[in-house]
Amino acid sequence: MPNPNPDKLNEDLNTAKQVDLINVGALTREQLTPAAAAAPRGQDHAPTDKADHDEHDGHSHDGHDHGPVGERPYLWPAVSLVLLLAGIALDYFDVPFFAGLVRPIWYGVAFLLVGWKVLRAAVLSVPSGNIFNEFLLMSLATLGAFAIGEYPEGVAVMLFYTVGELFQDAAVNRAKRSIRALLEIQATEVTVVREGRPLVIEPQQVQVGDVMEVKPGEKVALDGTLNGPAASFNTAALTGESAPQTKQTGETVLAGMINLESLVQVTVTAAFKDTKLSKILAMVQDAVGRKAKTQQFITKFAKVYTPIVVVLAVLLVLVPFFVVDDYVFRDWLYRALVFLVISCPCALVISIPLGYFGGIGAASKNGILFKGSNFLDVLREIDTVVMDKTGTLTEGVFAVRQVVPAPGTETPELLRLAGALETKSTHPIAKAVVKHAADAAQGVPVESVQEIAGHGLRGRVDGHDVLAGNTKLLRKFDVAYPPEVDEVVDSIVVVAVDGQYAGHLTVADAPKADAVQAVRELKADGITKLVMLSGDKDSIVQRVAAELGITEAHGGLLPEDKARYVQQYLDAGHKLAFVGDGVNDAPVVALANVGIAMGGLGSDATIETADVVIQTDHPSKIATARRIARATHRVVWQNIWLAFIVKGVVLALGAGGLATMWEAVFADVGVALLAILNAVRIQRMKF
């Protein structure tokens, strides 16, 4: 397994998740380098030279460069708008100095501030043979307006085009950060014992067979086996589960785990590039790289629409020469240029992003962040939802579920003694017991506390010898307990007082309040397959699945196991969404058709990798997101058909000489306004 390259990981993520208006209908290759803009379709991300790579990186991370200064994408459209409005005012009042060359230069500057990249893309696409694209049509239409002296219209058309792209950029630019946070999990240095002395080196320099020293609170740098006594480790980075694991001598310890106790020694069994954690990072990189880039409607439409419109405009100039007696070239050229301005797909281009923008805005109001409009489309089409357990369907916080005192022991007394002893531990299960005991454990004298690794606590509590831990602790001290205690599914704290079994407490992660509702709504919404995958032990996973009404569940899984299951579902033809929250979920979040992260408490890496983020941590929002996606789809296609119909009518009028340049622009603006109102309607819907 190769060692993941941070720069490559970021580049692949940007390539796979590049949303911008490529997905909703404006400058479909605005974010690419000139070389990529000139490449044939399907090769948008072909390798470029170093200069182009640098430029691509700049766009990827900072948004589009809509003018001479890419760091301020709104500045030059704003300047262009001011110049346009000022020019219209100067025209209206017939200001003397605004005559001669001043007028075209004035509007030319306003035009180039927003249109130079479109013109450049149109020119660069010629050598590749990709001539008939939206860039060419936009360029011909606006330059045609300038050719017949309709400067304000040419500027307005290009400005409107650019503003539409900025609307979409504003919705998704903040979701285009890299997932470098994932790499921070890896330790940057490791202490190895060589020739009897500790030596601090980089993990890449450690050899299989070396002995590492891991201090309390320190991350394990490489996979290995534990030397010496038992020790507890926080395994959340790999399993996503909050319960620490106790490792015995000779058991496997994985990179990314955190040592919770005293200094331990680990014999290295895998090189740095072969550790489980490196494999997780590589899986994210590979899965992101397999994300297909969506080719949206406007790009396909432009391939057919653009050459037809250009040919019709040429014919509109030439054919009348043979059939009209009083043919005047200038008049028919004017009609052809008006025809091109009318045919400019501005209304269509703006109606699509505004529809998706409305959907993204509606989702945001409901606590859901879509990182791109294409994910609205894909989420609408899924038939399978795979979910993690801890932190996704459950709270991710341990709590005492049941207190079962032994005969002759009162519940308050059991809680008082157990809670007081557990105050001496920092273990999450111990904290859950202390929280449940509340005031009963306060002020109780505790002394001679001994923590027995992998077993629990022993101490003197209010004059009694008390044991609190797992069943191994009681067996160690020859304390008999009922056999049914071994059959308890949840995590358990057994308690013995003065050598006698006193009862037990079950500790578990409770389902979220809306988890059952989430499952019910997804089933009602047409999801045919619901699956739970978890790193928790299988018995607990099956119990939680039964409580929630999920028929397929698998527990005891590492990240690669989850990825294997997801890949099997994808290979079987399912369109799949994966919902998770932990770092360990990042690979499968990236692998799924739609990755959904719980954003309130979820890990940064998973949130960065995900396509959709549930900011409120409520799983019921998944069904809400699907309803928003369907509503957005309806509105977008309403806008598309509106633009088609109006465009067709005005094109016919323009060809017949019945529509002027201003009427054409007015028709476009009118359609756009209707599209805006329709898009705003999405945000007012109740989901």
Side-chain angles (χ1 to χ4, degrees):
M1 180 68 67
N3 182 30
N5 183 312
D7 294 332
K8 179 65 166 61
L9 192 62
N10 291 332
E11 184 178 347
D12 283 348
L13 183 70
N14 246 313
T15 298
K17 292 184 178 298
Q18 195 78 24
V19 177
D20 302 306
L21 287 194
I22 186 170
N23 299 315
V24 289
L27 298 179
T28 57
R29 307 206 283 180
E30 175 70 15
Q31 76 277 20
L32 302 178
T33 63
R41 298 288 184 183
Q43 301 177 11
D44 290 358
H45 293 278
T48 62
D49 59 26
K50 180 65 171 67
D52 286 345
H53 183 269
D54 292 341
E55 182 179 347
H56 177 81
D57 283 349
H59 291 308
S60 297
H61 298 292
D62 301 320
H64 295 328
D65 179 2
H66 295 282
V69 182
E71 294 78 6
R72 298 179 179 180
Y74 293 94
L75 173 62
W76 299 109
V79 174
S80 177
L81 176 61
V82 171
L83 291 176
L84 173 62
L85 296 177
I88 292 174
L90 292 171
D91 278 337
Y92 182 80
F93 291 106
D94 291 326
V95 177
F97 91 88
F98 200 61
L101 289 177
V102 174
R103 185 169 184 266
I105 291 174
W106 182 284
Y107 284 116
V109 171
F111 174 79
L112 290 175
L113 286 174
V114 291
W116 74 277
K117 279 214 162 187
V118 178
L119 299 176
R120 184 186 68 170
V123 172
L124 290 174
S125 65
V126 173
S128 68
N130 179 34
I131 300 174
F132 293 107
N133 52 46
E134 56 270 36
F135 304 127
L136 176 66
L137 185 58
M138 183 66 68
S139 299
L140 289 177
T142 52
L143 291 176
F146 267 72
I148 60 177
E150 301 292 350
Y151 308 125
E153 290 85 339
V155 176
V157 164
M158 189 62 75
L159 179 61
F160 206 26
Y161 191 97
T162 304
V163 169
E165 179 173 314
L166 288 176
F167 282 164
Q168 180 72 1
D169 285 346
V172 299
N173 273 349
R174 58 194 175 111
K176 291 164 55 183
R177 300 185 304 270
S178 71
I179 57 170
R180 287 186 182 272
L182 190 60
L183 300 178
E184 295 176 1
I185 300 168
Q186 289 186 310
T188 56
E189 59 182 31
V190 58
T191 303
V192 297
V193 179
R194 290 180 178 172
E195 299 179 354
R197 293 185 303 173
L199 177 66
V200 178
I201 59 176
E202 295 181 351
Q204 293 89 337
Q205 299 174 326
V206 179
Q207 299 176 359
V208 174
D210 280 345
V211 176
M212 300 184 296
E213 284 189 347
V214 186
K215 302 179 182 66
E218 195 172 62
K219 296 173 185 175
V220 178
L222 300 101
D223 296 352
T225 56
L226 182 65
N227 301 340
S232 294
F233 294 87
N234 182 329
T235 65
L238 290 174
T239 67
E241 304 303 324
S242 51
Q245 290 186 10
T246 299
K247 298 293 183 180
Q248 305 295 329
T249 302
E251 290 189 342
T252 300
V253 178
L254 301 178
M257 293 181 175
I258 299 175
N259 179 21
L260 297 177
E261 298 179 346
S262 58
L263 179 72
V264 299
Q265 290 190 338
V266 177
T267 300
V268 177
T269 59
F272 179 76
K273 64 184 180 64
D274 297 322
T275 63
K276 292 288 186 182
L277 186 54
S278 291
K279 290 179 179 179
I280 290 177
L281 301 179
M283 277 192 294
V284 173
Q285 183 173 351
D286 293 342
V288 166
R290 287 197 297 271
K291 283 274 194 178
K293 187 178 66 174
T294 306
Q295 185 181 39
Q296 294 292 325
F297 169 79
I298 191 63
T299 302
K300 299 176 183 178
F301 168 73
K303 287 183 179 180
V304 178
Y305 176 79
T306 305
I308 290 176
V309 164
V310 172
V311 170
L312 289 176
V314 173
L315 292 176
L316 193 57
V317 177
L318 299 180
V319 172
F321 175 79
F322 301 100
V323 297
V324 176
D325 294 332
D326 55 346
Y327 176 82
V328 178
F329 175 77
R330 180 181 178 84
D331 292 344
W332 287 99
L333 176 62
Y334 178 85
R335 287 193 186 188
L337 292 176
V338 170
F339 182 85
L340 278 177
V341 173
I342 296 171
S343 66
C344 177
C346 303
L348 180 62
V349 165
I350 199 66
S351 68
I352 299 174
L354 283 176
Y356 281 111
F357 186 76
I360 292 172
S364 180
K365 286 185 177 180
N366 284 272
I368 304 164
L369 172 62
F370 280 89
K371 291 188 178 180
S373 54
N374 56 334
F375 300 121
L376 282 160
D377 286 337
V378 180
L379 186 63
R380 180 181 56 85
E381 299 170 352
I382 63 169
D383 56 32
T384 300
V385 174
V386 180
M387 293 178 279
D388 178 46
K389 178 181 74 70
T390 306
T392 300
L393 290 171
T394 63
E395 295 290 349
V397 179
F398 280 105
V400 173
R401 292 174 62 89
Q402 193 176 21
V403 180
V404 184
T409 302
E410 298 294 330
T411 297
E413 179 66 7
L414 177 64
L415 285 175
R416 187 178 75 90
L417 296 176
L421 182 58
E422 295 285 20
T423 59
K424 303 303 179 180
S425 173
T426 59
H427 195 287
I429 291 179
K431 292 180 178 179
V433 173
V434 172
K435 182 178 180 180
H436 190 78
D439 295 339
Q442 298 297 319
V444 179
V446 180
E447 57 188 2
S448 303
V449 177
Q450 178 186 4
E451 184 165 359
I452 303 171
H455 292 71
L457 298 176
R458 178 187 185 187
R460 187 121 183 119
V461 181
D462 199 17
H464 298 280
D465 287 324
V466 179
L467 300 173
N470 54 34
T471 54
K472 290 187 293 184
L473 179 67
L474 268 61
R475 289 197 295 270
K476 180 179 178 67
F477 288 94
D478 297 322
V479 177
Y481 60 88
E484 58 266 22
V485 172
D486 286 324
E487 300 175 4
V488 175
V489 173
D490 292 329
S491 298
I492 188 171
V493 177
V494 291
V495 182
V497 178
D498 296 328
Q500 299 293 319
Y501 171 74
H504 68 268
L505 300 85
T506 61
V507 180
D509 186 11
K512 290 183 178 178
D514 66 331
V516 173
Q517 175 191 348
V519 172
R520 185 174 60 249
E521 288 186 356
L522 286 171
K523 289 180 177 179
D525 201 42
I527 298 300
T528 58
K529 191 177 186 68
L530 272 170
V531 184
M532 180 193 294
L533 302 179
S534 177
D536 208 347
K537 60 183 182 180
D538 191 63
S539 57
I540 295 177
V541 172
Q542 298 301 331
R543 177 182 59 76
V544 173
E547 288 181 14
L548 300 180
I550 297 175
T551 55
E552 182 178 349
H554 306 278
L557 305 179
L558 287 172
E560 58 262 39
D561 300 322
K562 293 183 180 181
R564 187 179 67 253
Y565 274 108
V566 169
Q567 190 62 59
Q568 288 175 359
Y569 300 138
L570 292 172
D571 292 342
H574 293 285
K575 288 202 170 183
L576 180 146
F578 183 87
V579 191
D581 73 308
V583 171
N584 62 298
D585 294 325
V588 274
V589 164
L591 182 62
N593 297 114
V594 179
I596 303 177
M598 291 293 166
L601 298 175
S603 76
D604 290 342
T606 302
I607 292 171
E608 296 285 357
T609 309
D611 309 310
V612 181
V613 179
I614 308 295
Q615 296 169 300
T616 62
D617 273 342
H618 294 149
S620 59
K621 293 292 186 180
I622 304 168
T624 303
R626 274 174 54 84
R627 290 193 288 270
I628 293 172
R630 283 198 301 273
T632 302
H633 178 77
R634 288 195 302 270
V635 168
V636 165
W637 278 95
Q638 288 168 2
N639 287 347
I640 288 173
W641 282 113
L642 173 65
F644 270 152
I645 293 170
V646 173
K647 186 67 65 178
V649 171
V650 181
L651 279 173
L653 294 175
L658 301 176
T660 66
M661 188 76 66
W662 274 112
E663 288 166 339
V665 173
F666 178 78
D668 257 359
V669 172
V671 171
L673 290 176
L674 290 176
I676 291 172
L677 294 175
N678 201 27
V680 169
R681 187 170 62 88
I682 300 176
Q683 300 193 44
R684 296 185 178 180
M685 294 179 182
K686 301 296 183 182
F687 296 102

